[in-house]
Amino acid sequence: MCGIVGYSGPENPKDVILSGLKSLEYRGYDSAGVAILNHGEFKRIRAEGKLSTLQKKLESETFDGHLGIGHTRWATHGAPVEKNAHPHTVRGISLVHNGIIENYLELKDALGPQTKFTSDTDSELVAHLIADEIERTHDLLKAVVNVLPRLQGAYSILVVSKDHPDEMVAFKNGPPLIVGSAQGAVLVASDVQAILPYTKKVVYLNDLEIAHVKGESFKVFDSLGRPLEKSVTTIDWTAEQAKKEGYEHFMLKEIFEQPRAVARVLAPHVDVSKHTVHVLEGTGLSERFREAERIAVIACGTSFYAGQVGAYLLEKLAKVSVTTDIASEFRYREPVIAKNTVAILISQSGETADTLAVLRQLKKVKVPVLSICNVKNSTIDREADGHLYMNSGPEVGVASTKAFTSTLALLHLLALDVAKVRSTLPLQDEERYVRALLAAPAQMETVLACDKFFGEAAATLKNFKGFLYMGRGVNYPIALEGALKLKELAYMHAEGYAAGEMKHGPLALIDGRMAVVMLAPSDELYEKTLSNLEEAKARGGVIISIGTLGNDKLRDLSTHYLALPRAEWSVNPMLEAIPLQLLAYHVAHALGHDVDQPRNLAKSVTVE
Ligand code: M6R
């Protein structure tokens, strides 16, 4: 949601904090600010808008101190204007906050009308509470220990005080906070990417833990202020991986990275000489999947659509009953959980609040949870019983692309392995599917060539009044994902439909200003999909079809026809995703939108 950076060390804090904030800008980008020590006071500079505005403001600023904090915001309480930007400063306390203080009105009332607020945020309230405590205790750590039990909600906070100029205190309940110790310096951040250029060794704070930084070292305490022993994690991502590599946008780079990412996710789980799969082994959940009467797949957004593809694969290959749920629905619908249920929770960031809440709900009723995350050591990853990784490397574009296709590949492997432990798939079929999966990265490379087509077509496509995406079977969730991509990037009306549903309503939408994107690869539903396409064509829809090489009938019915290489039905979704991502990317770009940071969205949704 928001990004937090703190630095205490010999380098210029302004530079370190700005470069950290730059790498966290994907978490929020409607305002930003810093508070850096200068002549014994924390000098605060804030700016509305993107980080570049703050950067400009800071150009002429100098600071003589060696400690500071910074923040990039995604507004939850209060409009995205300078007065609501962080840090919030109250009587020498400066504080940055990510998340929501749920009981803030109650706490604000308790402070009484004599307490004057200068912003509309819940964050400033915490600064008041800490300032009051500092006046009583004259101790920054103790002040935080005293305030912590009063806060309800999901938050991570970093605070400094002018009376304790060599200290920072970080504490959290929910959104991530990481502390890294480099030579003579300590960094605190919401994401390892901000710390990686300085050190690969980091400590992840758990909920209700407090990190107390003093000079060049730090200690971790529990919520009562008792010292804790924490293990140090070594991160194997390089800072280099997060750069754009010459592409105009991170999203485009990440789209083009997909063949590599998929190859990377397959490699550790496939025996390439025997063409067999071993994915469950390391999760410790083989037995649970063998005995499962029900598999529950739960996630949000793009991860949910990947999960829906996974459900088709699991049911078809492993012959097991699968339910799919959107996490924000599941958590409040008092679900009846079938006996012997195993859950698969999918989250690229591993921090999505609704998915995390579902994980905790399931653990309470002893349902084993397998997590599929991209960010290792994220909260969902750490709290699940078994773990699989998308292994995509950092995904910076807010719109998920490579994490999606890597998840599709991983779910395919998982479905094959679950089928194996349940003895539902003959060995020769497993081998056939594995061969098809191993061929996918190269096939994806060829599909990327349609970049040129969408680059040129975008100028026309951007003028349509709307887009209907359609597919059947395993292609249906890809239609939903294609529509989501266009919505989030191009801000255009787009809907995904099961093609068989056309005549039950959406057909009425179709006319010459409506583009129909039809997913119709060669599979057992191809002929049926063609009939749905004819219905759309008869109503004057402009048809962009994505099919398999040699589908002449499809080509003849379409205004534009893109041919995918021949692949197994179960691999088609990974290939189809690419043209849909490129369509959304180019239309958004042609409309002049910020592709990497679409409006109103954030990469990691750590609040409800
Ligand atoms: O980090 P997660 O996979 O849990 O995120 C879930 C959604 O917020 C995410 O997929 C969102 O829909 C993306 N912006 C899609 O591109």
Side-chain angles (χ1 to χ4, degrees), residues 26 249-252 254 348 394-401 595-598 603:
Y26 71 91
H249 297 100
F250 278 111
M251 182 186 174
L252 193 60
E254 285 156 9
Q348 181 282 131
E395 188 179 68
V396 177
V398 165
S400 191
T401 52
V595 182
D596 282 334
Q597 297 177 339
K603 186 72 183 163

Side-chain angles (χ1 to χ4, degrees), residues 333-449:
R333 73 170 167 81
E334 297 180 25
V336 176
I337 297 175
K339 215 169 103 219
N340 286 335
T341 293
V342 182
I344 301 174
L345 263 54
I346 306 169
S347 175
Q348 181 282 131
S349 62
E351 301 293 350
T352 299
D354 287 314
T355 314
L356 179 60
V358 168
L359 185 148
R360 290 177 177 160
Q361 219 171 324
L362 290 172
K363 288 195 77 176
K364 269 198 195 133
V365 291
K366 307 248 176 309
V367 171
V369 174
L370 173 67
S371 66
I372 298 184
C373 295
N374 193 33
V375 180
K376 280 189 193 166
N377 299 306
S378 55
T379 313
I380 292 174
D381 176 34
R382 279 181 287 134
E383 293 190 17
D385 302 296
H387 322 268
L388 287 175
Y389 298 105
M390 300 169 191
N391 224 351
S392 310
E395 188 179 68
V396 177
V398 165
S400 191
T401 52
K402 60 177 179 168
F404 177 68
T405 42
S406 294
T407 307
L408 295 182
L410 194 53
L411 285 167
H412 196 325
L413 292 173
L414 182 67
L416 288 173
D417 218 9
V418 175
K420 183 152 55 191
V421 297
R422 297 171 74 92
S423 310
T424 57
L425 194 71
L427 182 63
Q428 67 270 26
D429 285 350
E430 179 184 342
E431 288 170 4
R432 179 166 54 85
Y433 282 116
V434 171
R435 280 180 212 279
L437 272 170
L438 289 173
Q443 293 183 319
M444 292 170 89
E445 298 266 358
T446 67
V447 179
L448 283 165

Side-chain angles (χ1 to χ4, degrees), residues 482-552:
L484 175 66
K485 282 280 129 348
L486 194 74
K487 272 184 272 215
E488 66 179 335
L489 294 164
Y491 321 147
M492 287 176 82
H493 176 243
E495 285 197 65
Y497 260 96
E501 277 285 291
M502 287 287 291
K503 52 179 119 15
H504 301 290
L507 215 44
L509 285 171
I510 295 179
D511 60 21
R513 296 181 53 228
M514 180 66 93
V516 176
V517 181
M518 185 61 94
L519 303 174
S522 293
D523 60 17
E524 60 185 19
L525 291 167
Y526 172 64
E527 291 296 335
K528 291 203 182 298
T529 314
L530 277 190
S531 321
N532 302 136
L533 186 65
E534 300 207 38
E535 291 159 9
K537 187 170 167 78
R539 270 86 188 169
V542 172
I543 316 279
I544 302 167
S545 67
I546 297 169
T548 305
L549 201 66
N551 286 356
D552 296 344

